Amino acid sequence: MSAHLTEVIMAGFGGQGMLLAGKVLAHAAMGLQREVSWLPSYGPEMRGGTANVTVCISDEPIGSPFVDRPLGLLVMSRPSLEKFGPRVRPGGVIVINTSMIDVGSDRDHDCVVVAVPARKLAEVAGSERAANLVMLGAYVGASDVLPVDAVEASLVREFEGRKARFVPANLTAFRSGVELGRSARQGSEVVR
Amino acid sequence: MTKVLMKGNEALGEAAVRAGCVHFFGYPITPQTEVPEYLVKRLPEVGGVFLQAESEVASINMIYGAAGVGVKCLTSSSSPGISLMAEGMSYIAACELPCVIINIMRAGPGLGGILPAQSDYFQATRGHGHGDYQVIVLAPSSVQEAVDLMTLAFELSETYRNPVMVCADGMIGQMMEPVEFDREGRGPPLADNDWALGGADGRERRIVNSLYLTPEDLDAHNRKLKAKYDLIAERERRCDLDAGDEPADLLVVAFGTMARICKSAIDLVRDEGLKVALFRPITLNPFPFSELRAAMDALSERGSVLDVEMSMGQMLYDVRLAAEGSRAIAFYGRAGGVVPSPDDVATQIREALST
Amino acid sequence: MARIEIDEARCKGCGRCVVHCPKGLIEFSTELNERGYRYVIYEGDVEACTGCTMCAVVCPDQGVEVWNHRDKQTFVNTSGLTERMTHYCPGCTHGVIHRITAEVLEELGLLGRTVGIAPVGCSVLAYEYFNIDMFEAAHGRAPAVATGAKRARPECIVFTYQGDGDLASIGGNEILHAANRGEKITVIFINNAIYGMTGGQMAPTTLPGQRTTTSPLGRDVEDTGHPLRVAELLATLATPAYIARGSAHDAKHSITVKKMIKRAFEHQRDGTCFSFVEILSTCPTNWGLSPAESEQWVADEMIPYFPLGVLKEPAAQPAATPQEAQP
């Protein structure tokens, strides 16, 4: 197994912004000179169907960009949780959007599980479309995948130009996720 | 140069521009559509020509026209579209014109599916159109390698005046990875060559033609082409070998994305103490027969081979040719857009080693 | 006095000049030439020759040159064609249309920057006859090849030369879209209502009831549809274009064809629009008619279905200075 390899699957429906969340993470990793791959699902299923992305971050060249057992999972919907939840490696992080998923995870014993009311926090932050970034923040806060400031910088870059007006709300949303993630990590017995 | 995070399809388009190609003719098809979508914005910045053709049949013939008047040109498609380009490729190869064709392979046969596959290996390496011709086929396994091979593709197409296909799968096309564009490939303008059409003012007229009605003339033309293909086979084989701890007991052979997945699988089983090597052809045509044979010969006495493809076994025939019966060869393949996972491949490797 | 010279060796004995000489000064020889044709000779009351050039205009084989009464050569074989003998059958008007096209390019001073595209069909070997840079294209694809060449080298004059099977059947899509994009190319479309090279099969332009080897009882329009009027079809497109139909079946109409082809290349030279000239042409061999009967068949059967004239032309012409594209 490659050293310091993190694979994260971000799964949702088309339009929920999981591909974008993955891109923000991938860009941040690249900025830190890490190896990275961003592999989306594609095709007709993306038109309102599932839209998943797998991001791999490593210190070594990435082998398969396609993973069976990720170390991280962000799920926006129940079918995605049921599909990918059992595959997360022990010691991994599972971020669940409780705005959409009314069940918990049975992986509390060996993973850090973060329950995130993503839509509610996004609304509080000022943009209901920023639920994806709340989720990403929760993941970054609950894992040691990348430093928070590196991901924030990447997020700002992602929205530069015509979309710059969305940055403040998106940053607030991201940070509220980070808070939740950090406290989940601190409260988890899984973290050594 | 700094790295940028780019989708494979877009990176292929940018690499073509950096190689000096500013003429693109193509038709939309999933999963390669980001190539034209990128170039329609990029080419006007460099004074280039972008045209969405009415079909792949037309695209490849526009390429024939553009290549014939001496410009570097590119078309891009995916499996069913490449089938439609078969005729044109035969003409372009017959007329010895340079051009580059991208195939972002999807699953077939028929309309098939749009997910990644490697089931066009036969088509790419054994011919698409009619006649005794060959196309150079390059198979990248990462976005960076796709970029590097794109530059090489233009160089090879001009050196040998032959179509070159960059053959990747939907995963490479759709995936984003950091890339560096460190090579600028601009050579002298092709229009200066003595084969390019453009008006016969002040010189002998030229003809771009593949019709030879005298059998002896056509035989001679075929012999000339064959000599060129032999030269290409001698000089241009490319591959990558991860021998691991020698001598290995199993040699996995895979190309493109599949080779990366196999690499992850091999990392898993090496942690278990298994001795496994990985051979990855980069040129599918010319196929690196002698290099593969050497890797087989370096295996332990009872060492065997596992060929893994996202197809029902196409490169397998070339692996067998390389082995010439010297090694047992097992095969694992999935089709239809099912991508074998590292765990799947690891299971196959353990099985191959236990028999 | 005016006079003509006949190159016996080039003559295929089609007799078109015999029919078209208003003074009856051309006859068949009793001898055969080295290619086995009963060639024509210029004799009789040759002092009656007015130098009208009709014989040269209808000759498909560049076999006649003409001098006027002041001994000035008034019909010179064009340098736009090679000296090669064509493989076309005697009386086939492909040769006439080749000559007209080459003459126009020569007269407009465009030969040196022209790239022609030969089709698949009887005129597959057109690259042997036009004395310019030429492509040989795949069946039906000439407009796509022309598009690629013209877009890559806009300073070149690019034309396709295509028959009815090539253009209207297998190449239906390519011609439609090249026209619709308004490619600044010229298309010379030869309509002889039959597949010539493959030996007389039904074409998309075969007339109702016309017998061919694949419509032996005559074309049944209930079964195979009606003949395609390609010029009319293209003229319906909203994209500006020069669209005309002429006929090469006799001298008078051939002169009109020349005007049309000239106009077409002027439009390309000036960067105005896509240009397309359909030309009704004879196929004595596959129609099973003599050259003279073939001409009559064009007049009696084809022209009523395929009316002649300029179907479409951009109303306003651009400024006097031609657009010279930069290389």
Side-chain angles (χ1 to χ4, degrees), chain B residues 22-48:
Chain B
V22 297
H23 290 80
F24 178 88
F25 304 88
Y27 186 79
I29 182 171
T30 307
Q32 66 80 47
T33 302
E34 292 84 357
V35 178
E37 284 176 344
Y38 180 81
L39 288 172
V40 74
K41 288 178 266 183
R42 184 70 171 93
L43 287 175
E45 295 172 6
V46 289

Short mmCIF file of all heavy atoms in Angstrom, two decimals, chain B residues 22-48:
data_model
loop_
_atom_site.label_atom_id
_atom_site.label_comp_id
_atom_site.label_asym_id
_atom_site.label_seq_id
_atom_site.Cartn_x
_atom_site.Cartn_y
_atom_site.Cartn_z
N VAL B 22 -3.20 23.23 -34.92
CA VAL B 22 -4.27 24.21 -34.71
C VAL B 22 -5.45 23.95 -35.65
O VAL B 22 -6.26 24.83 -35.88
CB VAL B 22 -3.76 25.66 -34.86
CG1 VAL B 22 -2.73 25.98 -33.79
CG2 VAL B 22 -3.19 25.92 -36.24
N HIS B 23 -5.55 22.74 -36.15
CA HIS B 23 -6.69 22.39 -37.01
C HIS B 23 -7.39 21.16 -36.43
O HIS B 23 -6.79 20.09 -36.34
CB HIS B 23 -6.24 22.10 -38.43
CG HIS B 23 -5.78 23.34 -39.16
ND1 HIS B 23 -4.53 23.88 -38.97
CD2 HIS B 23 -6.42 24.14 -40.05
CE1 HIS B 23 -4.43 24.97 -39.72
NE2 HIS B 23 -5.55 25.15 -40.38
N PHE B 24 -8.65 21.34 -36.06
CA PHE B 24 -9.41 20.24 -35.49
C PHE B 24 -10.74 20.08 -36.22
O PHE B 24 -11.44 21.05 -36.47
CB PHE B 24 -9.70 20.49 -34.00
CG PHE B 24 -10.53 19.41 -33.36
CD1 PHE B 24 -9.92 18.29 -32.81
CD2 PHE B 24 -11.92 19.49 -33.35
CE1 PHE B 24 -10.69 17.28 -32.23
CE2 PHE B 24 -12.69 18.47 -32.79
CZ PHE B 24 -12.07 17.36 -32.23
N PHE B 25 -11.05 18.85 -36.56
CA PHE B 25 -12.34 18.51 -37.16
C PHE B 25 -12.88 17.31 -36.39
O PHE B 25 -12.18 16.31 -36.24
CB PHE B 25 -12.17 18.13 -38.63
CG PHE B 25 -11.51 19.20 -39.46
CD1 PHE B 25 -10.12 19.25 -39.58
CD2 PHE B 25 -12.27 20.17 -40.11
CE1 PHE B 25 -9.50 20.24 -40.33
CE2 PHE B 25 -11.65 21.17 -40.86
CZ PHE B 25 -10.27 21.20 -40.98
N GLY B 26 -14.10 17.41 -35.87
CA GLY B 26 -14.60 16.28 -35.09
C GLY B 26 -16.10 16.34 -34.90
O GLY B 26 -16.78 17.27 -35.37
N TYR B 27 -16.60 15.34 -34.22
CA TYR B 27 -18.03 15.18 -34.03
C TYR B 27 -18.26 14.74 -32.59
O TYR B 27 -17.49 13.93 -32.07
CB TYR B 27 -18.54 14.12 -35.02
CG TYR B 27 -20.03 13.93 -35.05
CD1 TYR B 27 -20.83 14.83 -35.74
CD2 TYR B 27 -20.64 12.87 -34.39
CE1 TYR B 27 -22.21 14.68 -35.77
CE2 TYR B 27 -22.00 12.70 -34.43
CZ TYR B 27 -22.79 13.61 -35.12
OH TYR B 27 -24.15 13.46 -35.17
N PRO B 28 -19.28 15.24 -31.92
CA PRO B 28 -19.46 14.91 -30.50
C PRO B 28 -19.79 13.43 -30.27
O PRO B 28 -20.58 12.86 -31.01
CB PRO B 28 -20.66 15.76 -30.07
CG PRO B 28 -20.82 16.80 -31.14
CD PRO B 28 -20.30 16.18 -32.39
N ILE B 29 -19.17 12.85 -29.28
CA ILE B 29 -19.56 11.52 -28.81
C ILE B 29 -18.98 11.34 -27.40
O ILE B 29 -17.82 11.69 -27.15
CB ILE B 29 -19.09 10.38 -29.77
CG1 ILE B 29 -19.55 9.01 -29.26
CG2 ILE B 29 -17.59 10.38 -29.98
CD1 ILE B 29 -19.33 7.87 -30.26
N THR B 30 -19.79 10.81 -26.51
CA THR B 30 -19.34 10.50 -25.15
C THR B 30 -18.45 9.27 -25.21
O THR B 30 -18.77 8.34 -25.96
CB THR B 30 -20.56 10.20 -24.25
OG1 THR B 30 -21.46 11.29 -24.36
CG2 THR B 30 -20.17 9.99 -22.81
N PRO B 31 -17.38 9.19 -24.49
CA PRO B 31 -16.87 10.11 -23.47
C PRO B 31 -15.68 10.97 -23.90
O PRO B 31 -14.76 11.15 -23.13
CB PRO B 31 -16.46 9.16 -22.36
CG PRO B 31 -15.96 7.94 -23.10
CD PRO B 31 -16.70 7.88 -24.41
N GLN B 32 -15.72 11.51 -25.12
CA GLN B 32 -14.59 12.34 -25.56
C GLN B 32 -14.98 13.78 -25.84
O GLN B 32 -14.15 14.57 -26.29
CB GLN B 32 -13.93 11.75 -26.81
CG GLN B 32 -14.81 11.74 -28.06
CD GLN B 32 -14.89 13.05 -28.81
OE1 GLN B 32 -13.89 13.69 -29.07
NE2 GLN B 32 -16.11 13.46 -29.15
N THR B 33 -16.23 14.14 -25.59
CA THR B 33 -16.74 15.42 -26.06
C THR B 33 -15.99 16.63 -25.50
O THR B 33 -15.98 17.68 -26.11
CB THR B 33 -18.26 15.49 -25.79
OG1 THR B 33 -18.84 14.37 -26.47
CG2 THR B 33 -18.88 16.75 -26.31
N GLU B 34 -15.34 16.46 -24.36
CA GLU B 34 -14.58 17.60 -23.82
C GLU B 34 -13.40 17.97 -24.72
O GLU B 34 -12.89 19.08 -24.61
CB GLU B 34 -14.06 17.29 -22.41
CG GLU B 34 -15.14 17.17 -21.35
CD GLU B 34 -15.76 15.79 -21.29
OE1 GLU B 34 -15.39 14.92 -22.11
OE2 GLU B 34 -16.62 15.59 -20.42
N VAL B 35 -12.97 17.06 -25.58
CA VAL B 35 -11.87 17.43 -26.50
C VAL B 35 -12.35 18.56 -27.42
O VAL B 35 -11.77 19.65 -27.42
CB VAL B 35 -11.34 16.22 -27.30
CG1 VAL B 35 -10.26 16.67 -28.27
CG2 VAL B 35 -10.81 15.14 -26.38
N PRO B 36 -13.44 18.36 -28.20
CA PRO B 36 -13.91 19.49 -29.02
C PRO B 36 -14.38 20.68 -28.19
O PRO B 36 -14.16 21.82 -28.59
CB PRO B 36 -15.07 18.89 -29.83
CG PRO B 36 -15.37 17.57 -29.23
CD PRO B 36 -14.14 17.10 -28.54
N GLU B 37 -15.00 20.41 -27.05
CA GLU B 37 -15.48 21.54 -26.24
C GLU B 37 -14.33 22.41 -25.75
O GLU B 37 -14.47 23.62 -25.59
CB GLU B 37 -16.31 21.03 -25.05
CG GLU B 37 -17.69 20.57 -25.47
CD GLU B 37 -18.49 19.98 -24.32
OE1 GLU B 37 -17.90 19.64 -23.27
OE2 GLU B 37 -19.71 19.84 -24.48
N TYR B 38 -13.21 21.77 -25.50
CA TYR B 38 -12.03 22.54 -25.09
C TYR B 38 -11.45 23.29 -26.28
O TYR B 38 -11.14 24.49 -26.20
CB TYR B 38 -10.98 21.60 -24.49
CG TYR B 38 -9.73 22.33 -24.03
CD1 TYR B 38 -9.70 22.98 -22.81
CD2 TYR B 38 -8.60 22.39 -24.85
CE1 TYR B 38 -8.58 23.67 -22.39
CE2 TYR B 38 -7.47 23.08 -24.44
CZ TYR B 38 -7.46 23.71 -23.21
OH TYR B 38 -6.35 24.40 -22.81
N LEU B 39 -11.32 22.59 -27.40
CA LEU B 39 -10.62 23.18 -28.55
C LEU B 39 -11.42 24.30 -29.21
O LEU B 39 -10.85 25.21 -29.79
CB LEU B 39 -10.25 22.10 -29.55
CG LEU B 39 -9.10 21.20 -29.07
CD1 LEU B 39 -8.91 20.02 -30.02
CD2 LEU B 39 -7.80 21.99 -28.95
N VAL B 40 -12.75 24.24 -29.11
CA VAL B 40 -13.53 25.30 -29.75
C VAL B 40 -13.24 26.64 -29.09
O VAL B 40 -13.33 27.69 -29.71
CB VAL B 40 -15.04 24.96 -29.75
CG1 VAL B 40 -15.66 25.12 -28.37
CG2 VAL B 40 -15.78 25.84 -30.76
N LYS B 41 -12.85 26.59 -27.82
CA LYS B 41 -12.49 27.83 -27.13
C LYS B 41 -11.01 28.15 -27.32
O LYS B 41 -10.62 29.30 -27.44
CB LYS B 41 -12.80 27.70 -25.62
CG LYS B 41 -14.29 27.74 -25.34
CD LYS B 41 -14.58 27.56 -23.85
CE LYS B 41 -14.84 26.11 -23.54
NZ LYS B 41 -15.20 25.80 -22.18
N ARG B 42 -10.20 27.10 -27.34
CA ARG B 42 -8.74 27.29 -27.35
C ARG B 42 -8.21 27.68 -28.73
O ARG B 42 -7.32 28.52 -28.84
CB ARG B 42 -8.07 25.99 -26.87
CG ARG B 42 -6.56 26.05 -26.74
CD ARG B 42 -6.14 26.93 -25.58
NE ARG B 42 -4.71 26.81 -25.35
CZ ARG B 42 -3.79 27.62 -25.89
NH1 ARG B 42 -4.18 28.61 -26.66
NH2 ARG B 42 -2.51 27.44 -25.63
N LEU B 43 -8.72 27.05 -29.77
CA LEU B 43 -8.12 27.26 -31.09
C LEU B 43 -8.22 28.69 -31.61
O LEU B 43 -7.27 29.19 -32.22
CB LEU B 43 -8.68 26.25 -32.10
CG LEU B 43 -8.15 24.83 -31.91
CD1 LEU B 43 -8.83 23.84 -32.86
CD2 LEU B 43 -6.63 24.78 -32.11
N PRO B 44 -9.35 29.38 -31.37
CA PRO B 44 -9.38 30.77 -31.84
C PRO B 44 -8.28 31.64 -31.22
O PRO B 44 -7.82 32.59 -31.84
CB PRO B 44 -10.77 31.26 -31.40
CG PRO B 44 -11.58 30.02 -31.30
CD PRO B 44 -10.63 28.96 -30.82
N GLU B 45 -7.83 31.28 -30.02
CA GLU B 45 -6.76 32.06 -29.38
C GLU B 45 -5.44 31.96 -30.14
O GLU B 45 -4.58 32.82 -29.99
CB GLU B 45 -6.51 31.55 -27.95
CG GLU B 45 -7.68 31.74 -27.01
CD GLU B 45 -7.46 31.05 -25.66
OE1 GLU B 45 -6.34 30.52 -25.41
OE2 GLU B 45 -8.41 31.04 -24.87
N VAL B 46 -5.29 30.89 -30.89
CA VAL B 46 -4.03 30.71 -31.63
C VAL B 46 -4.25 30.77 -33.14
O VAL B 46 -3.44 30.27 -33.92
CB VAL B 46 -3.34 29.37 -31.24
CG1 VAL B 46 -2.80 29.45 -29.82
CG2 VAL B 46 -4.30 28.19 -31.36
N GLY B 47 -5.37 31.36 -33.52
CA GLY B 47 -5.65 31.51 -34.95
C GLY B 47 -5.93 30.20 -35.66
O GLY B 47 -5.67 30.06 -36.85
N GLY B 48 -6.44 29.24 -34.91
CA GLY B 48 -6.65 27.92 -35.49
C GLY B 48 -8.02 27.74 -36.09
O GLY B 48 -8.83 28.66 -36.14
#
